[in-house]
Amino acid sequence: MNLLVVGMSHRTAAVPVLERLAMNGGEAQAALAELVGLPYVDEAVVLSTCNRVEVYAAVTAFHGGLADIGGVLARRAGLPVGDLASQMYVHYEVDAVRHAFRVAAGLDSMVVGEAQILGQLRDAYGVAGEQAAAGRMLHELMQQALRVGKRVHAETEIDRAGQSVVSAALAYGQGATGPVEQRPALVVGAGAMGALSLATLKRVGAGPLFVTNRSLARAERLAELHGATAVPFAELPSLLERVDVVVSATASAEPVLDAPLVAGAGRPLLVIDLALPRDVAPGVGELPGVTLVDIELLSESLSTTADAEERAAEDIVATEVEAFLTWLRGADVAPTVAALRARADEVVEAELRRLAQRCPEMGDEVRSEVAHSIHRIVQRLLHQPTVRVRQLASAPGGEAYAQALRELFDLQIPSEINPAAAGEVHP
């Protein structure tokens, strides 16, 4: 089984392409069903955020898996695979593990160290689990990635300023419009990014705060948590006449703020668009008095210069990658150990049957003692080789030892392994 990551992010792809690839929950479920139904993809997790869309997969072959995943992404974008190839990144095996851990740690984010990626990764993993698209390999990868992300945030100060895409967008916008403290603000959307936006606006002192969403009940729940006022979505035009700052972060497939609507507010506005696809239609940023900050602008302006905290985080990731690879090598040898034990049991049982046929006068007590002795001899003979092959398999290049065992004993590895059968043999 091989790990493969194929995707695009703000670092590699233009925002219009990312918009075409972006998936809401239902679309991600459909993509997962398509992926695991393809010849070379056994497991899959789809991560879609405001600045990345990527597929984590367990595949049976690199080139076949790459073609399968690339085809799904191309169909999703409505573009030929060749047009996407130059904007895609591909990570395989150890690089796939490293990428997953760096993403979880916030090291690959638009704003380095932002913490909301952990929640987004957890949600993506949850959807894959509900769809039965994540198996043993991706369960382990995702669980370890989430743990690594938590460890990085706990042991470093990479997010010491509470920096996020929202705070970065506010900081950028305030350069043109002035501080948002004590200025009325509206959040459009009550999802994870909407919640983060409302929390950030409250933290920097903006207010009064309003939130609107197509589902008023969700807006009300979010408003209650942050001391804001929930307003029906139909009242969006009148809301725009009462605020100075608008942060839009919905999962809408179409823009929710267009030029006529924003112009109708008749007042200067700082408009922050954190949605993918974009919530704000082209032309809004050209309106008099309107300052527009969106993902495309942020990706061009934010610096990703490494500092001491980033280096500390990278060190943690490197350590955790090696630990995961050690587990992976051990997991790869387990089926071989199980098959070797099964082969030994077959030989013993065959010899015991032959002995029973040739010596029918042997009593049950003697037969039981002979069987016990033979099994114990086999266990003692297998103990050291199986322990040693596990130790050797944990080192780089260790997979060769499991392969040697399979060749020497002509072992056939079953597709399903009983975990207990792969345990150590004790003398």
Side-chain angles (χ1 to χ4, degrees):
M1 188 65 68
N2 305 307
L3 288 169
L4 178 65
V5 177
V6 182
M8 299 182 183
S9 74
H10 63 283
R11 299 183 188 280
T12 65
V15 169
V17 176
L18 286 173
E19 287 183 298
R20 299 178 74 155
L21 282 172
M23 305 181 207
N24 58 31
E27 292 166 335
Q29 290 177 357
L32 286 169
E34 183 179 1
L35 284 163
V36 297
L38 295 171
Y40 294 98
V41 180
D42 282 350
E43 305 174 31
V45 171
V46 173
L47 176 63
S48 180
T49 74
C50 65
N51 51 38
R52 74 176 62 247
V53 178
E54 56 190 21
V55 176
Y56 295 83
V59 299
T60 55
F62 171 75
H63 292 292
L66 179 58
D68 281 349
I69 297 169
V72 171
L73 294 178
R75 286 190 290 276
R76 173 71 194 168
L79 295 170
V81 175
D83 290 355
L84 292 182
S86 63
Q87 301 183 64
M88 288 196 306
Y89 47 77
V90 177
H91 301 293
Y92 188 58
E93 291 290 38
V94 61
D95 290 332
V97 177
R98 183 179 297 106
H99 178 77
F101 290 2
R102 294 188 78 255
V103 167
L107 287 166
D108 195 58
S109 295
M110 183 179 294
V111 179
V112 174
E114 56 92 6
Q116 63 264 35
I117 185 63
L118 267 176
Q120 294 165 331
L121 188 63
R122 185 182 298 108
D123 290 344
Y125 173 40
V127 171
E130 292 168 1
Q131 296 292 109
R136 167 179 166 272
M137 188 67 68
L138 290 188
H139 278 311
E140 188 70 23
L141 178 67
M142 291 292 110
Q143 289 169 9
Q144 293 304 319
L146 292 170
R147 185 184 61 78
V148 170
K150 291 177 182 177
R151 182 186 169 192
V152 165
H153 287 287
E155 296 182 17
T156 73
E157 295 183 355
I158 194 169
D159 58 350
R160 59 191 177 277
Q163 185 78 311
S164 69
V165 173
V166 181
S167 54
L170 284 172
Y172 187 94
Q174 288 178 122
T177 65
V180 300
E181 186 178 0
Q182 297 184 344
R183 295 171 66 185
L186 165 68
V187 172
V188 184
M193 189 62 75
L196 178 65
S197 300
L198 205 56
T200 304
L201 285 165
K202 181 179 180 179
R203 177 169 56 80
V204 299
L209 300 176
F210 302 90
V211 58
T212 188
N213 190 64
R214 294 191 189 277
S215 167
L216 181 59
R218 292 190 65 182
E220 289 173 337
R221 288 194 295 271
L222 188 59
E224 185 177 357
L225 289 172
H226 298 283
T229 300
V231 183
F233 192 76
E235 298 182 20
L236 180 58
S238 62
L239 268 175
L240 294 177
E241 300 173 4
R242 302 161 55 189
V243 298
D244 295 334
V245 181
V246 180
V247 180
S248 192
T250 77
S252 174
E254 302 293 335
V256 297
L257 298 172
D258 58 23
L261 178 64
V262 176
R267 62 186 294 151
L269 284 172
L270 168 58
V271 179
I272 297 174
D273 184 2
L274 300 178
L276 195 68
R278 281 176 280 202
D279 275 347
V280 181
V284 169
E286 299 173 7
L287 294 172
V290 174
T291 299
L292 175 62
V293 179
D294 60 14
I295 294 297
E296 190 167 25
L297 187 62
L298 282 175
S299 66
E300 295 171 354
S301 65
L302 289 174
S303 170
T304 57
T305 303
D307 61 12
E309 298 303 327
E310 286 181 55
R311 289 192 293 272
E314 293 283 11
D315 288 343
I316 291 174
V317 167
T319 300
E320 293 287 356
V321 167
E322 189 54 43
F324 184 87
L325 293 178
T326 298
W327 170 85
L328 192 60
R329 295 177 192 122
D332 285 343
V333 80
T336 300
V337 172
L340 179 59
R341 292 188 64 187
R343 172 63 58 82
D345 287 342
E346 290 173 3
V347 172
V348 169
E349 292 304 322
E351 287 302 311
L352 288 175
R353 287 195 299 271
R354 188 176 70 84
L355 181 61
Q357 292 171 355
R358 295 187 61 179
C359 303
E361 72 282 1
M362 184 183 294
D364 291 342
E365 183 176 349
V366 175
R367 185 179 295 109
S368 176
E369 184 63 31
V370 170
H372 178 75
S373 296
I374 294 177
H375 278 294
R376 187 169 179 80
I377 290 170
V378 171
Q379 287 177 340
R380 291 177 68 89
L381 288 172
L382 289 181
H383 173 68
Q384 188 59 35
T386 53
V387 169
R388 187 60 177 148
V389 77
R390 285 178 179 278
Q391 294 171 341
L392 293 170
S394 66
E399 62 276 2
Y401 293 98
Q403 179 62 34
L405 273 183
R406 291 193 289 270
E407 292 291 338
L408 287 170
F409 291 94
D410 191 25
L411 300 176
Q412 300 300 315
I413 308 301
S415 57
E416 296 293 335
I417 294 293
N418 175 6
E424 292 184 8
V425 182
H426 299 285

